[in-house]
Amino acid sequence: MTSSPSPQIAIVGSGPSGCYAAQALLRSLPQAEITIFDRLVSPFGLIRYGVAADHQHTKAITRQFERLFASPGVRFAGGIEVGIDIELPELLDAFDAVVLATGIAEDRALSIPGSELPGVYGAGALIQSLNAHPDAASALPPLGDNVVVIGAGNVALDILRFLVKAESDYLGSDVADDALEAYLRSPAARVTVASRSVAAAAKGDPQMLRELALLPRANYSLIGAPLDAGESSDRTSEARIAALQLLVADDRGSFPGPDVTLGFGLVPRRIVGEGDGDAARVTAVEFDSPDGVVSVPATSVVTAVGFSASGPLAHLLSSPGETGRLSPGLYRTGWAKRGSRGAIPENRACAKSVAEEVAADLAAAPERSGSAARGFDALNASVRDRAVSFDSWLHLDLHEQMAAPEGRVRRKVADLALMRSIAQDGGASGATTSQKGHHS
Amino acid sequence: MNVTVLYGTESGNSELIAEDVGAALRDAGHDAEVYDLQNFDPAELTADRFTIVVCSTHGEGDLPNTAIPFAAAFDAAPPDLTGLRYAMFGLGDTFYEETYSQGSEHIDRRFAAQGATRVGEYGRHDASSWDLGSDVALEWLPGVLEEAAAKVA
């Protein structure tokens, strides 16, 4: 019985939930040695790939998490996917506790007739393309003249902002220019954003609506339920209504960009298409509204109605949980625990409560695994060698910043193998490959 | 000098700044204690300790959620803060101009109303700037400490 003074903890996912979990665990268990795995070579998950490319102020939270990775008790193991590169039971053997912080990233499908038609796209997938996610298509699909966005939460508003913005509105961003240019060559003429809820109960942050109101782009009008605070007159609802009133105000002025119709109280009934097989395409979306059935012409439909779990651990995350513990030694935090609700900071409080659970369980049963867990060092050499360290990521980080074209803060490398080679060989050969790759 | 550093945070940035400020104070030989506002009783505020508040902004210029119980306890039993000297460091995001850094001002107003005196420049950090909040705070701190020391003498 050797004494094992340092609890070994694995966190799966290096997005905001994983980083907050590591911070909270370091606080509850100062002796802990924490390994943060990520299936991608790069850390920060949703911050890098889910937060819109033109919201750099939100991405600035990585400055806080960079500090975390500099802590002596914290190791980044990038490019290792649990369930593919290493099995979950192996991880549970090697660590005293495993915390799943994978998020949930797959666009939830709309369950109405026609939602499988060509021309129906998930909002998350489009945002990943604009963020140069390695799994996302590098080009956006043609969206056509009439884009219908279903949902009115922050992700839907990210899509709306993308649909109305011009090239010059991306200064200082790290947008994937190939994807952006594909859209800007033939931008939408008309956009409809349809919210099932009335405005007071919609999910979008008032700040995001004010941002749209202040942007000198697009002209807004309203259909469906009127803008009133109704029963729920909390400050956020009032602020949301006020921001929407700014958007549709007669004196807002006339701006270039699409005509945008905002619809509240619109419940999608079906997506209508024409043609068969390869020739099939979307033509309209029908909604139940306070004024009866409304049919909105559509050349494409973007669904922004939440996310569901995907990947090899999805079966563990199919429904939200009250506690962090899934089974002895296995926990979850963030969206993986709560479902796709709430913004980045809410995951901090969630991580604190899960860290307290982990600490209490370890105090009650310090030798859960029976053998002294040895953490990262106990893993197969092949996994250890493959894991991309935080220092290696910093090579890629620097490479991307150096490669930024004018007006951009970064040009992300979207090819997984190239990301790995730039990170792990210090960019010596990777830099050339990247340049060639981009201009060919 | 005896210093209490209080932080109110939503995303963790204020906590990081408060801890860095606390460490810098200790390095300079001060007695510094750092507390999360959610674990701090307003009745504990004392003129014997110079008090630094690091606080972010949430929602519509509101206090961060973790600081709301402190404000509620403060309002339920407003402490007499005569003689208390304090400094404010507010976090916000100029991206959202109209509410920039207003969260901390909710604490500032309460302290001032109860007779406390703010010392030095009102520190601000802008989340849109990519400057690390701690860098900005540690640049701000010496000026505040100088004024605090001058007023003691």
Side-chain angles (χ1 to χ4, degrees):
Chain A
M1 292 291 131
T2 51
S3 65
S4 173
S6 305
Q8 295 289 340
I9 298 175
I11 295 173
V12 182
S14 67
S17 294
C19 289
Y20 281 132
Q23 284 181 339
L25 283 161
L26 278 183
R27 181 154 291 227
S28 319
L29 301 161
Q31 302 303 313
E33 290 183 8
I34 299 175
T35 303
I36 306 180
F37 293 87
D38 204 290
R39 71 187 186 89
L40 298 177
V41 166
S42 53
F44 308 135
L46 172 130
I47 303 168
R48 179 170 156 99
Y49 290 118
V51 171
D54 58 342
H55 270 182
Q56 293 293 314
H57 59 289
T58 304
K59 294 186 192 252
I61 199 168
T62 56
R63 297 296 310 268
Q64 181 189 140
F65 297 143
E66 283 167 356
R67 179 78 75 87
L68 168 75
F69 284 103
S71 313
V74 176
R75 174 198 300 273
F76 180 60
I80 304 292
E81 182 162 16
V82 176
I84 305 279
D85 301 303
I86 181 170
E87 294 303 322
L88 186 56
E90 292 176 64
L91 218 54
L92 288 163
D93 279 347
F95 290 87
D96 294 301
V98 176
V99 182
L100 305 181
T102 55
I104 53 176
E106 185 156 289
D107 286 294
R108 191 162 76 76
L110 198 61
S111 52
I112 57 171
S115 56
E116 305 290 315
L117 279 166
V120 181
Y121 307 104
L126 299 186
I127 288 170
Q128 289 196 342
S129 289
L130 291 161
N131 265 322
H133 191 292
D135 295 347
S138 60
L140 288 181
L143 298 176
D145 281 343
N146 298 313
V147 183
V148 176
V149 181
I150 299 181
N154 289 344
V155 175
L157 296 180
D158 280 339
I159 292 292
L160 174 58
R161 202 171 63 254
F162 155 68
L163 291 170
V164 305
K165 271 192 168 185
E167 156 66 28
S168 56
D169 297 319
Y170 288 89
L171 283 177
S173 77
D174 60 359
V175 70
D177 281 300
D178 292 351
L180 180 65
E181 283 161 17
Y183 171 70
L184 291 177
R185 273 195 294 273
S186 52
R190 283 163 296 277
V191 177
T192 303
V193 178
S195 167
R196 178 182 285 264
S197 317
V198 296
K203 292 195 182 67
D205 281 347
Q207 293 98 321
M208 301 256 298
L209 290 163
R210 277 200 297 272
E211 180 186 358
L212 287 164
L214 295 171
L215 190 68
R217 297 285 302 172
N219 300 299
Y220 292 84
S221 59
L222 194 67
I223 57 169
L227 297 180
D228 65 66
E231 298 293 298
S232 62
S233 59
D234 61 284
R235 271 169 62 82
T236 306
S237 297
E238 285 169 12
R240 185 183 303 108
I241 301 262
L244 285 163
Q245 280 164 342
L246 283 178
L247 266 176
V248 299
D250 291 336
D251 59 0
R252 180 171 171 268
S254 180
F255 297 108
D259 288 325
V260 179
T261 305
L262 302 171
F264 291 94
L266 297 190
V267 180
R269 283 167 60 95
R270 64 176 182 134
I271 298 174
V272 184
E274 65 179 24
D276 293 307
D278 289 348
R281 62 187 187 91
V282 168
T283 56
V285 185
E286 284 181 7
F287 298 93
D288 285 320
S289 86
D291 312 316
V293 174
V294 177
S295 178
V296 180
T299 50
S300 61
V301 177
V302 181
T303 61
V305 293
F307 296 89
S308 54
S310 58
L313 304 176
H315 61 286
L316 295 168
L317 313 174
S318 53
S319 59
E322 284 295 310
T323 63
R325 191 185 312 99
L326 283 163
S327 57
L330 182 63
Y331 303 82
R332 56 177 169 165
T333 187
W335 275 14
K337 173 178 185 285
R338 293 178 294 118
S340 56
R341 286 174 176 278
I344 289 170
E346 286 176 43
N347 296 299
R348 184 172 175 270
C350 182
K352 281 197 159 179
S353 73
V354 174
E356 281 162 18
E357 274 185 65
V358 174
D361 289 354
L362 287 180
E367 291 180 46
R368 177 196 64 79
S369 61
S371 62
R374 283 172 39 242
F376 182 79
D377 292 337
L379 302 180
N380 277 335
S382 63
V383 171
R384 280 183 283 132
D385 292 347
R386 209 174 142 69
V388 174
S389 69
F390 198 77
D391 281 347
S392 293
W393 145 252
L394 291 175
H395 291 140
L396 174 59
D397 184 31
L398 183 64
H399 169 91
E400 290 186 339
Q401 293 181 52
M402 302 292 283
E406 195 174 343
R408 302 286 179 262
V409 294
R410 169 188 303 272
R411 179 161 70 201
K412 288 183 195 161
V413 178
D415 180 85
L416 257 186
L418 189 55
M419 289 173 77
R420 180 182 286 281
S421 85
I422 295 171
Q424 289 189 320
D425 74 9
S429 64
T432 353
T433 324
S434 165
Q435 294 302 328
K436 276 184 198 156
H438 206 86
H439 294 295
S440 61
Chain B
M1 191 161 36
N2 296 328
V3 189
T4 298
V5 183
L6 303 173
Y7 65 87
T9 192
E10 198 76 31
S11 71
N13 284 329
S14 293
E15 178 181 17
L16 196 65
I17 293 168
E19 279 173 356
D20 286 350
V21 165
L25 287 165
R26 280 181 221 111
D27 286 349
H30 299 288
D31 169 14
E33 293 174 350
V34 181
Y35 296 99
D36 188 338
L37 276 173
Q38 72 182 339
N39 302 322
F40 194 85
D41 181 350
E44 302 285 313
L45 291 165
T46 165
D48 297 342
R49 301 185 69 86
F50 185 63
T51 301
I52 297 176
V53 181
V54 182
C55 186
S56 67
T57 305
H58 182 60
E60 304 302 305
D62 302 323
L63 278 171
N65 282 312
T66 59
I68 287 173
F70 175 86
F74 192 103
D75 294 346
D80 177 6
L81 300 184
T82 309
L84 176 82
R85 291 166 317 115
Y86 70 101
M88 293 296 306
F89 190 86
L91 282 79
D93 191 341
T94 49
F95 197 81
Y96 305 117
E97 279 173 43
E98 61 270 51
T99 63
Y100 172 57
S101 203
Q102 284 178 6
S104 62
E105 294 169 13
H106 294 284
I107 302 285
D108 181 53
R109 270 196 300 278
R110 284 177 169 82
F111 278 27
Q114 289 307 109
T117 309
R118 175 149 51 78
V119 172
E121 189 192 339
Y122 200 122
R124 307 270 187 190
H125 174 252
D126 176 8
S128 277
S129 68
W130 278 89
D131 291 333
L132 198 58
S134 290
D135 294 346
V136 178
L138 295 179
E139 256 173 55
W140 160 86
L141 183 63
V144 165
L145 292 178
E146 205 172 295
E147 282 211 36
K151 295 246 168 84
V152 168

